[in-house]
Amino acid sequence: MTALLSHPLTPGTAIGYWRVSAIAEARYDLPDLPMQGEMDPFFFLTKDKNFIPHEYPCRTQFAAERRGRRPQVGALAPERNWLPFGSPRLDLSGFWFRPTAIAARAETVVRAAMAGIARVSLRTCGGAILTVNGAEVGWMAPYRRNAESIEQFEFPVQAGDNRIEVAFDDLAERDARFYIQLDWLDGPGVEAGIEVPDEALAGALELALATMHFDRPAYTGGEVALVLPQPIPAEVAVAVKVEGDFMSHVDEKLAHRLPAGATRLVLAPVASLPGDFRHFIVTLTAGGFTATRVFGVEVCDLAAQGAVPATPEGRVQEALEWIAERAEPDTVAALARLALGKGDARTEEMIARTLPVIEDCWDCADFALVPLLWGRIRFGDLLSAPLRARIDAAVLGYRYWMDEPGNDVQWYFSENHALLFHTSAYLAGALLPEATFRRSGRTGAEQSAVGRDRVRAWLDHFEQWEMAEFNSAPYFPIDLKGLTALYALAPDADIRERAGRSIRRLIGMVAASAHHGVLTAAQGRSYEHTLRAGRTLELSAITRMLWGLGNLGARFHAVPGLALAIRDHGLTLDETLGQRASLAKGEQEWIFAQGANRFAILQHAKTPDWALGTAAGYRWFDWGYQETLVHARIGRNADAQIWINHPGEVIHSGYGRPSYWGGSASIPRVQQYRGLALVWFDGQPEQPDFTHAWFPTPAFDRWNVDGNRAVAQSGQGVAVLAASGPLHPVTQGPTTGCELRLAGRSGWWLVRLTSGGAGERAARFAALAPAGDARGRVCVEDPEYGMVVFEPDGSVSAEGRRLALKQFTVEGTLTLRDAG
């Protein structure tokens, strides 16, 4: 009988092993149509689980053609192996920048000792056809964007091998959840798997990938390497694709030979890799069997950066030169080069390679258009006439808002995108006032006037409520990209002045929520690649340029614009912000609100030794999206950070919103008093059955996990974690040594940050525990603060104070106190 790499199927078990085809992709283009709608700053406050309701015309048409009809998936041959690594899904999710019809086929073998009737459930978001032993069992066709549907099917199982095939398809629009999950509900005793040439060797490759991990939580020099706790007893061919997040269009391919029995796989020197959070897609091949897994880690070559220049002028120059030479080659890097007088072939190639994104109206093309317009307006004389003509043609053909005809899936609804669309229309129209903008039919002067009115409305909203995407590390730079362009280029003085005020406000928020230059705060939208990138996140480059703190990476949006606003356009910032971003003494407490009607109530406390940020009274126990609601950092090591969430999926480095680290499937009750935070989860049955903390032990000077307590020290900063049950350190796989798990969807965590020695602090806070329940009053006796009372209305009382949610204003209240 053919060898299988398999697992037993018991009732409720998902089939984990599949042979799967490549994804077939085809553009799904419609005649250009306008859309109705406006900016929706609350689009991520989902009402139906994690379902985002905004629908493009392409989805409407696709659903009209296919919803409720048998899917039509072409002949696709399975060509690679999918191994589960703990995930119940065969997950091919990704990011597509244009509307794209996608399809795939997967097959697995169910081996039964005897014949019988099987009952299964099939989950997907698009359409799927289930076939067993060549006979079609049934199909489903809900085609709801990123919203899971479930159907049950029955079929006969014969003794021996049964071949199960699922053909599935969908329309990809930006982030697309493209997966199937086949759960075995009932039937004869079986195992499910894939045919392999050598079961023992295939199992060894699977075990190696299941236990493999990086030898550091982040790299600042030396070699990027994976540790193999379970060596492979054969020589292995290793192919590695190194890529950034979904916005990155630059990747690298590596090839290695791994000797039999090797315990370490060196991937590349840090100095040879881009400086940001990178995914290493590792593919192992031996004995005719191939398996793949994704591993993510931050890379930052500190030696290449050198000492921070002492003067503001020197730091601005350093930032421009770094981006001009070392950033990913796009219009942002081209702007930095033009600002240095480099209108050369390399600069033009950067622009030329980015222009198709704008010409084709890819999602996130607005990110590229704003710096392109800046370069064209201020430095167009450095560009060749043919390239200027192509830029102008792209500008005239672009879709600037949803009420203009188009067939794209640009995301118009979020605050950051809306600002860039309106800024682009305003500036592009002013650049070409007599020309006709193809989609709107307006003259440039008319287009600019529409953009100007919308920019003013956006600023009205921001000045009243600021950011619904509160404190979001990935979106501060996007907003700053638009605001700095307005400050430097706006034809209207009132807009320039208001943009300057808004820039100062955002930079002040970064300073207040930063710990020695690194943002440490609750965030309305977050991703794994932004949470784990302590050094190379663009905010770190901003704090380096402004205050001499932080490091430089490879991905940028705002730094060149901010540098030029300072260098060429007279932008000034509060000189004391650097002291706020890196406290030298005492304790700072900041309470404020964000979003329309103050929907996000935020707290932040920090000392020179620690920082803690949370969102108070925020949507307790609702389904979440991308919110990180508690974030801590200790000492001065940028990697010594902790956050806690309920994963939205169990696949590592996935595309879910929420994902494994970015956001929470179920939003916890979170409240804070100074260095103490309560985090209480109460999730839903279909969500993953654990909550967890990012706890990177190699980044700590000392650490210990004992039962339901964990303690970590970095410098003089100490973090004490307590939980409602035993904390289990993860000891294999991508997060080895960096993750603590608490079993169950419901349970509490306490986070207490303080200064001193880990042993003494652990002893002092050994009894720390909440009294109360998830939805009622909770009391915590703190050895330093005394009785801290967390009320079910979100208020907190301690030390003779009461912090009520109505006290929190958008402007915020900043309190400084002496240490102690």
Side-chain angles (χ1 to χ4, degrees), residues 2-6 111 191 196-204:
T2 306
L4 290 184
L5 184 62
S6 64
R111 181 168 290 170
E191 59 179 315
V196 294
D198 183 330
E199 183 179 348
L201 184 55

Side-chain angles (χ1 to χ4, degrees), residues 183-502:
D183 294 311
W184 189 264
L185 302 181
D186 194 19
V190 298
E191 59 179 315
I194 52 178
E195 296 169 336
V196 294
D198 183 330
E199 183 179 348
L201 184 55
L205 265 64
E206 178 187 26
L207 182 60
L209 288 169
T211 56
M212 194 181 294
H213 58 87
F214 288 111
D215 58 2
R216 303 182 215 166
Y219 290 90
T220 57
E223 298 173 328
V224 178
L226 286 161
V227 175
L228 283 76
Q230 299 290 334
I232 302 166
E235 184 180 66
V236 179
V238 182
V240 183
K241 183 180 180 183
V242 187
E243 62 183 23
D245 62 74
F246 62 90
M247 282 293 297
S248 174
H249 300 294
V250 176
D251 59 46
E252 182 177 356
K253 293 180 173 60
L254 310 172
H256 300 284
R257 301 295 297 186
L258 186 67
T263 59
R264 193 167 184 264
L265 171 61
V266 176
L267 299 178
V270 167
S272 71
L273 296 169
D276 64 356
F277 189 86
R278 291 269 128 179
H279 291 120
F280 293 76
I281 305 171
V282 178
T283 299
L284 306 181
T285 300
F289 179 76
T290 298
T292 299
R293 194 173 194 189
V294 180
F295 300 84
V297 75
E298 184 188 32
V299 178
C300 180
D301 184 9
L302 293 183
Q305 303 192 17
V308 182
T311 66
E313 296 80 10
R315 294 195 294 273
V316 165
Q317 184 71 12
E318 177 200 47
L320 289 173
E321 290 177 352
W322 178 277
I323 295 168
E325 299 301 328
R326 291 177 174 267
E328 286 201 359
D330 56 16
T331 56
V332 178
L335 176 59
R337 294 181 64 81
L338 291 170
L340 296 172
K342 298 181 178 182
D344 53 19
R346 185 179 173 195
T347 301
E348 295 213 346
E349 195 277 332
M350 289 179 178
I351 294 172
R353 67 175 291 164
T354 310
L355 274 171
V357 170
I358 298 167
E359 292 164 337
D360 205 19
C361 293
W362 284 23
D363 183 44
C364 301
D366 51 315
F367 293 176
L369 182 56
V370 169
L372 178 68
L373 285 167
W374 194 322
R376 172 68 178 88
I377 292 167
R378 281 287 184 259
F379 307 107
D381 60 313
L382 298 178
L383 300 173
S384 66
L387 183 60
R388 285 199 307 272
R390 186 179 171 191
I391 292 171
D392 291 352
V395 166
L396 293 173
Y398 186 67
R399 186 186 189 189
Y400 289 88
W401 195 239
M402 66 183 89
D403 59 355
E404 299 179 3
N407 68 347
D408 53 79
V409 287
Q410 297 186 100
W411 189 248
Y412 301 96
F413 303 101
S414 63
E415 293 162 326
N416 67 87
H417 280 287
L419 173 62
L420 298 193
F421 282 117
H422 304 335
T423 297
S424 297
Y426 178 39
L427 298 180
L431 171 67
L432 303 168
E434 304 299 325
T436 299
F437 281 66
R438 179 172 64 82
R439 294 177 187 273
S440 68
R442 304 183 185 108
T443 65
E446 293 167 338
Q447 187 83 345
S448 184
V450 171
R452 178 192 62 216
D453 292 344
R454 288 172 173 170
V455 163
R456 284 176 173 152
W458 191 96
L459 290 168
D460 289 342
H461 173 84
F462 179 84
E463 288 165 355
Q464 183 177 12
W465 300 117
E466 294 180 352
M467 302 159 64
E469 297 169 311
F470 56 86
N471 278 350
S472 292
Y475 296 116
F476 271 114
I478 305 299
D479 288 344
L480 286 169
K481 172 183 281 189
L483 291 168
T484 54
L486 292 172
Y487 179 81
L489 306 173
D492 297 279
D494 68 303
I495 290 179
R496 293 196 301 272
E497 191 274 332
R498 294 175 72 184
R501 286 205 312 266
S502 298

